[in-house]
Amino acid sequence: MHKKFLVLGMSCLLAAGAAQATTHVTAPAHIMADSSNLIGRWDLTIDQNGKPAPSWLEVKLSGNRALVGYFVGVSGSARPVAHVYFDNGKFHFTIPPQWEKGDQDFVIEGELAGEGIQGTITTSEGKTYNWKGVKAPYLKRTAAPVWDKPINLFNGKDLSGWKALGENQWVVKNGVLTSPHSGANLISEKTFTDFKLHVEFRYQKGSNSGVYLRGRYETQIEDSPADAHPASVLFSGIYGFLAPSEIAALGPDKWQTYDITLIGRMVTVVVNGKTVISNQEIPGITGGALDSNEGEPGPIYIQGDHGPIEFRKIVITPAK
């Protein structure tokens, strides 16, 4: 009789343990089903005291439990997020400052809100702003583009068709568009969706600039050493995202060319006749973007706030 009770007791314990084990297994599945709504790319807009500022977030599943990601702030490059903590529809993570002032980590907190997300960001200086996010569009094209006629965005005479963001320092001398020192960035008045862009430029030793495609994706212009290991933040990289296959720069004080084709998110960059990025996907906006409205047309935007830069030709061939 004692043995029967013992066996019965053990059976009950095993059954209880099995029930607990079952509960333990299904709970993470429930959590992951919920957090799956957060996985993907998000175009964010931060409300900085009434002024919209663009940002971007990607959340990925690492293994079968952990969420990780990438974050692009108002400035700087894409920063890895080691762990996105998610619980009951809410999430948070931290990232260290990059080029920003202040010495504390950024704290990003958010929640699922219908088909979007929303939350707050506390900066490295301790300032807190609200933000909202929408799912980033895929921008997938189903047919090859039909190209329209080329357009000279720079007429070789003056700044017609361009506007400066701030006090203008750009001048035209001898057919060359010149920013003699750090100052305002320059934006084309016309906007574009898919296109082929040809630019001829020259920079001084140690200078830095960039050409933003649709005003959102920067192709880096920088005085990078020819023997430097290629990186997304160096010459001809898509800043923070795509590294060129080589540094095909000719060096400072020499005229050089970029031939860039952008179709949806897919970009090809040819530098001085060499293809260094071949039909690669740009995941999201880069730091310094004008906005995060990736589904809309955007301008060509030239960086003039990082040192002297010159352009003698800017020709765009839009898709019809």
Side-chain angles (χ1 to χ4, degrees):
M1 194 71 169
H2 176 72
K3 290 183 178 178
K4 289 182 179 180
F5 279 121
L6 180 61
V7 171
L8 181 60
M10 291 296 292
S11 298
C12 292
L13 288 172
L14 289 171
Q20 290 178 353
T22 301
T23 302
H24 180 71
V25 170
T26 56
H30 170 74
I31 291 172
M32 289 313 303
D34 194 13
S35 65
S36 66
N37 294 323
L38 181 62
I39 293 172
R41 296 169 179 168
W42 299 90
D43 287 336
L44 310 182
T45 300
I46 303 171
D47 181 358
Q48 293 185 331
N49 299 323
K51 181 181 178 181
S55 185
W56 178 87
L57 170 66
E58 181 175 25
V59 178
K60 299 180 179 182
L61 181 64
S62 177
N64 58 12
R65 289 184 296 176
L67 295 177
V68 299
Y70 273 89
F71 180 81
V72 175
V74 177
S75 63
S77 60
R79 304 173 216 191
V81 179
H83 195 165
V84 179
Y85 297 91
F86 184 93
D87 182 37
N88 196 29
K90 297 184 178 182
F91 63 92
H92 69 274
F93 60 89
T94 63
I95 54 170
Q98 195 176 62
W99 305 108
E100 302 88 357
K101 297 178 181 178
D103 55 5
Q104 66 186 47
D105 283 354
F106 282 75
V107 178
I108 293 88
E109 297 178 306
E111 62 182 357
L112 298 172
E115 295 184 356
I117 55 177
Q118 62 186 22
T120 61
I121 179 171
T122 301
T123 71
S124 55
E125 297 179 271
K127 299 176 181 179
T128 299
Y129 303 110
N130 295 323
W131 58 262
K132 291 184 178 181
V134 297
K135 270 291 178 71
Y138 287 114
L139 302 182
K140 187 176 181 179
R141 307 301 190 229
T142 57
V146 177
W147 300 111
D148 210 334
K149 296 180 180 179
I151 302 170
N152 284 308
L153 290 181
F154 171 51
N155 64 14
K157 301 176 183 178
D158 54 36
L159 293 175
S160 296
W162 295 87
K163 57 183 178 181
L165 276 182
E167 185 176 350
N168 178 51
Q169 82 286 354
W170 294 85
V171 294
V172 178
K173 293 181 178 180
N174 301 319
V176 176
L177 177 62
T178 302
S179 176
H181 54 78
S182 296
N185 299 323
L186 205 58
I187 302 172
S188 69
E189 293 177 352
K190 292 183 178 180
T191 60
F192 306 93
T193 303
D194 296 345
F195 53 80
K196 295 189 292 185
L197 178 68
H198 174 81
V199 294
E200 298 181 12
F201 59 90
R202 181 170 62 183
Y203 54 82
Q204 296 180 14
K205 184 175 178 59
S207 197
N208 183 314
S209 181
V211 176
Y212 281 74
L213 315 176
R214 299 194 197 116
R216 302 181 188 107
Y217 316 116
E218 181 188 6
T219 308
Q220 174 77 309
I221 295 176
E222 189 205 50
D223 182 19
S224 302
D227 59 352
H229 190 281
S232 64
V233 297
L234 298 182
F235 185 87
S236 71
I238 303 299
Y239 193 77
F241 282 125
L242 303 179
S245 58
E246 63 177 293
I247 304 295
L250 301 179
D253 303 317
K254 295 182 179 179
W255 286 108
Q256 307 189 55
T257 62
Y258 280 172
D259 286 283
I260 304 167
T261 303
L262 181 64
I263 303 172
R265 291 188 178 278
M266 308 307 292
V267 67
T268 295
V269 180
V270 179
V271 179
N272 299 319
K274 293 184 178 180
T275 301
V276 297
I277 295 176
S278 179
N279 199 37
Q280 296 296 302
E281 183 189 40
I282 304 176
I285 67 169
T286 57
L290 295 175
D291 59 51
S292 57
N293 305 325
E294 291 191 88
E296 298 179 3
I300 300 302
Y301 152 31
I302 299 173
Q303 194 174 50
D305 60 357
H306 278 57
I309 184 72
E310 296 175 300
F311 292 86
R312 67 180 181 186
K313 187 173 288 188
I314 306 172
V315 180
I316 194 166
T317 304
K320 291 184 178 179

